[in-house]
Amino acid sequence: MAFNSADIEEFRDIWVFCEQRGGVLQETDFELLSEGRKLADERGSRLVGILLGEAVADMASVLGGYGADKVLVCEDPALLVYTTDAYVKVLCDAVMERRPEVLLIGATNIGRDLGPRAAARLHTGLTADCTHLDIDMKNYLQFLRESSTVDVDALKFNMDDSNLKMTRPAFGGHLMATIICPRFRPCMSTVRPGVMKKAAFDQALADACEIERYPVKLEPSQLRTKVLEVVKESRRLVDLVGAEVVVSVGRGISRDPQRGIELANELAGRLGGVVGASRAVTDAGWITSDHQVGQTGKTVHPRIYIALGISGAIQHKAGMQDSELIIAVDTNEHAPIFECADYGIVGDLFEVVPLMLEELK
């Protein structure tokens, strides 16, 4: 039967594209499988991982440990290093044959290239940079109650809506938009790394995972590019997502940005953490964008999050509110950041942080 993305009744299962680089699975895979497991349970369907590469079958069972019922392994020498032509062809071939209802891809450099090309070839929609996913309407409405100003009880919703509800920042992070794809399948979404919580690895699930080798059909004439060499840049980026302690600075350092960042660095150093920032700080050029926390930056879940001079706009809180312990310092006692803080200090960060450092000595 010819593939038709509009035959939505023919589509089943939740799929996750599992990215590997140099034979190493990416953390995004485990996050997406953990989230995909929830969606599959909501939908009553199977969770399938699809893994592309060369000689990658041995790592497939690991994906089962994070929730995959089955892993399709696609191996070919042309898949050793990522190229758009090869990966899109193999992924779309599998989708057209097996017809998954949902396809999740990490919003990595590779995922952001692969997702749009695959969506165009499959004639379906793609929602990029998602921060929240739901299928079940009850779960979605609860998400709205907890994370938005929408008066859910005053509005009417179609409780039978079984589309994937994909939520992402819009208008530079000032709004959150929920998007559905009701007329075509699969529903495709790229999801930001670090947004979804990774479940604990379960060896029993890994042992029970079904591994299937999917036949790859690639002709040299279909590959318009060839990777001759991979050169890795040595620039060091801050690891916000994996940090145990994050000390973030906001607009409150505007009086003396350099001194404010120095204090944050010293405090983070004493606590074995890293420095983050609000969008206002990165937009002003006081610190590089890889430090940005929030809807348009990185989502973090550290053991300790310290917010210095950050008022706590909803865009920033969305990126850090699930931290285990939140300590906030701000001159405005009514700042929204105090609503999610476990400990709040009303004061000038330039006076408070030196006192904190003195105590740590």
Side-chain angles (χ1 to χ4, degrees):
M1 181 170 53
F3 178 79
N4 183 353
S5 60
D7 289 337
I8 62 175
E9 298 301 324
E10 299 296 321
F11 291 75
R12 298 286 185 275
D13 296 338
I14 311 294
W15 277 26
V16 172
F17 169 74
C18 298
E19 181 182 331
Q20 58 81 25
R21 299 189 189 188
V24 178
L25 294 170
Q26 303 299 293
E27 281 292 309
T28 325
D29 302 339
F30 311 139
E31 295 164 3
L32 290 186
L33 288 169
S34 302
E35 184 66 18
R37 181 71 267 162
K38 297 176 187 176
L39 297 176
D41 291 342
E42 287 181 20
R43 191 72 175 119
S45 60
R46 294 189 307 168
L47 177 63
V48 178
I50 180 165
L51 178 64
L52 279 62
E54 184 183 28
V56 292
D58 290 344
M59 66 179 74
S61 64
V62 175
L63 302 172
Y66 291 95
D69 297 304
K70 182 177 185 176
V71 177
L72 294 180
V73 178
C74 308
E75 293 182 313
D76 191 274
L79 301 175
L80 175 62
V81 179
Y82 175 81
T83 63
T84 308
D85 291 337
Y87 271 60
V88 168
K89 172 69 167 56
V90 174
L91 178 63
C92 289
D93 282 353
V95 169
M96 289 178 179
E97 180 185 338
R98 302 294 176 90
R99 291 174 167 78
E101 181 181 12
V102 170
L103 175 58
L104 305 180
I105 300 174
T108 61
N109 292 337
I110 286 177
R112 286 174 172 167
D113 178 70
L114 176 66
R117 292 291 293 271
R121 186 168 297 188
L122 296 169
H123 196 270
T124 189
L126 171 75
T127 304
D129 282 352
C130 289
T131 57
H132 186 84
L133 301 170
D134 273 310
I135 290 179
D136 184 82
M137 275 300 296
K138 290 182 180 178
N139 291 343
Y140 175 62
L141 295 183
Q142 186 60 32
F143 163 69
L144 289 181
R145 288 189 180 96
E146 296 174 354
S147 306
S148 76
T149 57
V150 174
D151 188 352
V152 173
D153 299 318
L155 300 173
K156 291 184 178 180
F157 294 88
N158 177 11
M159 299 304 294
D160 295 324
D161 182 0
S162 61
N163 289 290
L164 178 66
K165 287 157 274 293
M166 302 168 279
T167 303
R168 58 149 295 165
F171 296 100
H174 293 286
L175 291 176
M176 295 297 286
T178 297
I179 299 167
I180 62 173
C181 184
R183 296 190 295 125
F184 301 99
R185 293 291 184 271
C187 300
M188 289 184 61
S189 169
T190 59
V191 181
R192 293 185 182 183
V195 169
M196 305 302 177
K197 288 187 177 180
K198 181 178 72 172
F201 177 80
D202 188 323
Q203 186 61 52
L205 292 178
D207 295 338
C209 181
E210 178 186 352
I211 310 298
E212 177 186 343
R213 291 181 181 271
Y214 185 84
V216 174
K217 300 174 183 177
L218 280 175
E219 300 295 334
S221 60
Q222 297 168 328
L223 307 179
R224 295 169 293 180
T225 58
K226 182 179 181 180
V227 177
L228 300 179
E229 183 183 8
V230 177
V231 179
K232 295 184 179 180
E233 186 179 5
S234 61
R235 186 167 75 97
R236 183 182 177 186
L237 299 178
V238 61
D239 181 18
L240 282 172
V241 176
E244 286 282 297
V245 178
V246 177
V247 179
S248 287
V249 290
R251 202 186 302 272
I253 67 169
S254 59
R255 192 176 78 217
D256 189 347
Q258 183 176 349
R259 176 58 179 157
I261 293 171
E262 287 174 355
L263 287 172
N265 270 312
E266 188 174 353
L267 183 57
R270 291 284 175 86
L271 297 172
V274 298
V275 173
S278 68
R279 179 172 177 172
V281 172
T282 59
D283 281 355
W286 297 332
I287 200 168
T288 55
S289 60
D290 55 306
H291 291 264
Q292 185 178 330
V293 174
Q295 285 174 355
T296 51
K298 296 176 182 175
T299 300
V300 297
H301 312 281
R303 189 165 52 85
I304 301 173
Y305 187 88
I306 302 177
L308 303 176
I310 297 175
S311 62
I314 190 170
Q315 293 85 2
H316 185 80
K317 289 199 290 186
M320 46 65 73
Q321 61 190 359
D322 290 331
S323 304
E324 291 184 29
L325 179 70
I326 299 172
I327 303 169
V329 179
D330 199 88
T331 54
N332 178 11
E333 62 181 298
H334 302 295
I337 193 68
F338 291 129
E339 296 171 4
C340 66
D342 297 288
Y343 296 96
I345 302 172
V346 178
D348 186 339
L349 72 92
F350 290 100
E351 298 174 2
V352 173
V353 175
L355 295 175
M356 296 171 74
L357 290 170
E358 188 62 32
E359 286 295 318
L360 288 170
K361 289 179 181 178

